[in-house]
Amino acid sequence: MESSPLVHTKIEDIPRTVDRLRAYFNQSTTRPYEWRKRQLQGLLRLLEENEVAFANTLRLDLGKPTFETCVTEVASSQNEIRVILHNLRNWMNPTSAPTPLALLPGSSEVAKEPYGLVLVMAPFNYPVMLTAIPLAGAFSAGNVCLLKPSELTPFTSALFQKLLPQYVDPEAVSVVQGSVAETTELLKHKFDYIFFTGSELVGKVVLRAAAEHLTPCTLELGGKSPVVVHEDADIPLAARRIMWGKCLNSGQSCIAPDYVYVHSKVKKAFLESCTQQIEAFFGKNVESSPDFGRIVSKRHTERLLRIIEAHKSDVVVGGRADLAKRFVHPTVITNVKPDSVVMQEEIFGPILPVLEYTDLHQVINFINSRAKPLALYVFSNSKEVQDAIVQCTSSGGVTINDVMMHFVNGDLPFGGVGPSGYGAYHGEYSFNMFTHQKPILHKSRFLDAPMRYPPYSASNLKIFRWVASIYRVNSHSFNRLFKYILLPGLVAVLAKKFGVGITYTSKF
């Protein structure tokens, strides 16, 4: 194993870094469209030109297969950036808002303003994607960024630190490397926005620190994402997709299937299919497969081993591990009860507990008795079953008859609810998340209503109440009146007067 290339940032350098980035933002250099566009193009080139380098570092950090690096880390980030680049100019434009009758003559709009200095705290499980996508969102909104990558993926974190200044404005981004001490120092400082991806435990630490400065946050956490496999599901397909999601990145995904509730009528077939899928994916010797990754650290491997040990008599397949190599065989556990060891916390590894049910309401009640998960998955061909689960439970997101794929759709917001996090990003949601929506009212100097000023009177109050009651009349009402009634009428009058055929088309 190669020695770590990570050099921790000096604690005394952190305050200077924060001050430098804030001073640069205050120069307003980052606000124009062209500057934002250059940063996004730079990030895109960084990913395109260094895909092989990232594949190498992720193999060292996580044993991640090259295919997974290219698809889940690099390509997903590139797609996100391209969507932002294509739409950015339009997103930046102020949006018109109706002006109520009481404020006429005047006009209203919402301006898109950058927050300022953004802290992005990236996790270890997808250290490229979950760094690049938040950075792209922050740059698209015109912010400067301080990046804190994970110390658990030292090779990838060191590579990002080396590459970023070569592709984006080095005055607008800085990287702080380190562990608890450096993170603690970082969180003492005031930021204008914090984007954190990680565990619920650390998320609470971040939130407490942010509260000291009243800093808004997005927390992308996790939780135990359930899967429901109903009796009418396509069992081979369900097993294949669920085991793919559980084995992807060795189960170290915040939206990986955490546990499965399977109908008792199809439980045996489901367990058999899971066993068959593991061999179909990785062969008889999973440890030698180039397509199966490793756990990020020995400490996390030991945690997973303790879970397996607690359920060793109920292991259907797997249960083997090599602590030195950070390898855990994909493991399916049966006869699981709600109070079992494996059901107490997010697994974050290739271990799949399987519970059974006969009454769907039992499953819904169980899901609702636990913390709201980041994702929920339903395998059923019945619209009634799908709707019952989706409408009667709460989760960050849902995929029906598959797992994890709602994350791939950049037009959908991705985020948690309750203990699984809050705030959502991807596509335009990323731009909006890092943007302050600033309302602006342009008021005319004319028609200054005297009844708003003292001395007050009953008649003035009566007028105000009458005006307020006409809430449907606003500036947009007059625009529609002109566009759809007055202007067509005027065109018709002119056509008749001059004897010419004029066609007027208005788009509703």
Side-chain angles (χ1 to χ4, degrees):
M1 183 70 181
E2 296 184 32
S3 59
S4 172
L6 203 65
V7 177
H8 287 210
T9 302
K10 294 180 180 178
I11 298 291
E12 59 269 23
D13 289 344
I14 292 176
R16 289 193 292 270
T17 299
V18 172
D19 291 342
R20 177 181 62 78
L21 287 169
R22 189 173 297 283
Y24 189 68
F25 174 77
N26 289 337
Q27 296 175 18
S28 296
T29 305
T30 67
R31 291 175 180 263
Y33 166 77
E34 290 300 329
W35 182 92
R36 305 183 193 198
K37 178 182 175 182
R38 286 195 301 271
Q39 310 320 303
L40 294 169
Q41 291 172 333
L43 278 178
L44 201 57
R45 286 189 297 107
L46 185 155
L47 294 167
E48 290 171 349
E49 295 173 10
N50 297 281
E51 184 175 292
V52 173
F54 280 122
N56 292 335
T57 61
L58 286 167
R59 174 70 71 176
L60 292 168
D61 286 330
L62 288 159
K64 186 168 288 195
T66 298
F67 181 89
E68 288 187 14
T69 293
C70 295
V71 174
T72 67
E73 298 271 16
V74 177
S76 58
S77 302
Q78 291 171 327
N79 291 340
E80 182 84 9
I81 295 169
R82 290 186 183 112
V83 168
I84 295 175
L85 274 168
H86 181 73
N87 295 284
L88 180 58
R89 191 185 291 275
N90 183 51
W91 293 346
M92 288 177 61
N93 290 332
T95 54
S96 175
T99 304
L101 181 63
L103 296 178
L104 294 176
S107 63
S108 304
E109 66 178 12
V110 179
K112 316 297 177 62
E113 180 179 83
Y115 274 108
L117 174 55
V118 172
L119 172 62
V120 174
M121 305 178 73
F124 70 78
N125 56 336
Y126 292 92
V128 175
M129 176 182 66
L130 296 180
T131 296
I133 291 180
L135 280 180
F139 283 143
S140 73
N143 299 289
V144 296
C145 298
L146 200 160
L147 170 65
K148 171 58 182 71
S150 174
E151 71 278 10
L152 296 179
T153 49
F155 292 94
T156 306
S157 295
L159 181 60
F160 247 119
Q161 184 173 21
K162 174 186 175 183
L163 293 176
L164 270 175
Q166 301 174 27
Y167 290 89
V168 301
D169 186 346
E171 296 298 317
V173 65
S174 190
V175 179
V176 168
Q177 304 281 18
S179 186
V180 175
E182 292 78 11
T183 302
T184 301
E185 174 61 30
L186 259 181
L187 292 174
K188 291 178 182 177
H189 295 274
K190 176 176 172 55
F191 294 91
D192 299 304
Y193 203 96
I194 297 176
F195 184 95
F196 170 80
T197 306
S199 69
E200 180 183 343
L201 180 64
V202 180
K204 291 178 179 179
V205 174
V206 172
L207 192 57
R208 281 194 292 268
E212 288 295 318
H213 301 287
L214 299 179
T215 299
C217 297
T218 290
L219 301 180
E220 295 296 342
L221 307 178
K224 296 185 74 65
S225 297
V227 187
V228 181
V229 180
H230 200 54
E231 60 181 309
D232 65 340
D234 182 331
I235 298 303
L237 178 67
R240 181 162 63 249
R241 291 179 172 179
I242 292 168
M243 291 313 302
W244 169 81
K246 177 52 79 171
C247 294
L248 182 72
N249 199 27
S250 294
Q252 298 166 111
S253 302
C254 58
I255 53 172
D258 192 272
Y259 63 93
V260 176
Y261 250 115
V262 61
H263 197 282
S264 59
K265 290 183 179 179
V266 294
K267 179 184 177 183
K268 181 181 178 182
F270 177 76
L271 293 174
E272 291 173 352
S273 291
C274 288
T275 302
Q276 293 166 5
Q277 288 304 324
I278 292 172
E279 184 172 338
F281 289 161
F282 309 112
K284 293 186 180 297
N285 188 351
V286 179
E287 188 172 356
S288 64
S289 171
D291 298 324
F292 188 75
R294 297 298 181 264
I295 304 304
V296 71
S297 68
K298 288 185 178 180
R299 179 172 65 85
H300 283 273
T301 307
E302 289 172 341
R303 177 182 59 81
L304 295 171
L305 285 174
R306 288 194 294 271
I307 293 175
I308 293 174
E309 183 64 24
H311 296 272
K312 60 183 179 181
S313 62
D314 295 312
V315 170
V316 177
V317 61
R320 300 185 300 278
D322 187 324
L323 182 59
K325 295 181 179 179
R326 297 178 286 130
F327 167 77
V328 175
H329 192 289
T331 300
V332 178
I333 299 172
T334 189
N335 299 325
V336 176
K337 299 294 185 288
D339 59 352
S340 297
V341 171
V342 73
M343 294 299 293
Q344 301 314 303
E345 62 179 20
E346 183 178 7
I347 297 169
F348 224 66
I351 301 172
L352 185 69
V354 177
L355 301 87
E356 64 177 294
Y357 74 95
T358 54
D359 180 6
L360 189 61
H361 292 97
Q362 167 198 351
V363 179
I364 292 172
N365 290 337
F366 177 79
I367 292 171
N368 288 334
S369 71
R370 297 293 184 101
K372 294 179 180 180
L374 185 55
L376 182 146
Y377 308 114
V378 182
F379 285 84
S380 173
N381 295 323
S382 166
K383 184 72 163 57
E384 183 180 355
V385 171
Q386 295 169 6
D387 289 346
I389 296 172
V390 173
Q391 294 174 11
C392 296
T393 62
S394 178
S395 59
V398 175
T399 294
I400 295 174
N401 287 323
D402 208 335
V403 298
M404 304 175 69
M405 301 309 288
H406 63 287
F407 181 91
V408 179
N409 187 344
D411 290 320
L412 291 176
F414 177 79
V417 56
S420 58
Y422 55 79
Y425 69 117
H426 282 187
E428 189 173 4
Y429 297 97
S430 291
F431 174 81
N432 289 334
M433 178 181 65
F434 288 113
T435 300
H436 169 56
Q437 312 285 325
K438 184 164 70 175
I440 300 174
L441 173 68
H442 300 271
K443 194 70 175 70
S444 171
R445 293 180 291 112
F446 304 101
L447 296 179
D448 189 27
M451 67 281 297
R452 66 185 272 192
Y453 303 109
Y456 304 126
S457 67
S459 59
N460 287 352
L461 181 59
K462 188 174 182 179
I463 293 173
F464 267 113
R465 283 177 171 165
W466 176 79
V467 171
S469 69
I470 314 176
Y471 63 91
R472 290 186 177 180
V473 179
N474 54 48
S475 57
H476 286 191
S477 305
F478 291 108
N479 289 339
R480 289 191 292 271
L481 176 67
F482 176 77
K483 185 175 182 180
Y484 301 129
I485 298 177
L486 298 182
L487 185 58
L490 178 62
V491 169
V493 169
L494 291 175
K496 185 176 181 180
K497 178 177 178 63
F498 294 103
V500 295
I502 300 176
T503 301
Y504 174 78
T505 302
S506 61
K507 255 178 133 181
F508 285 84

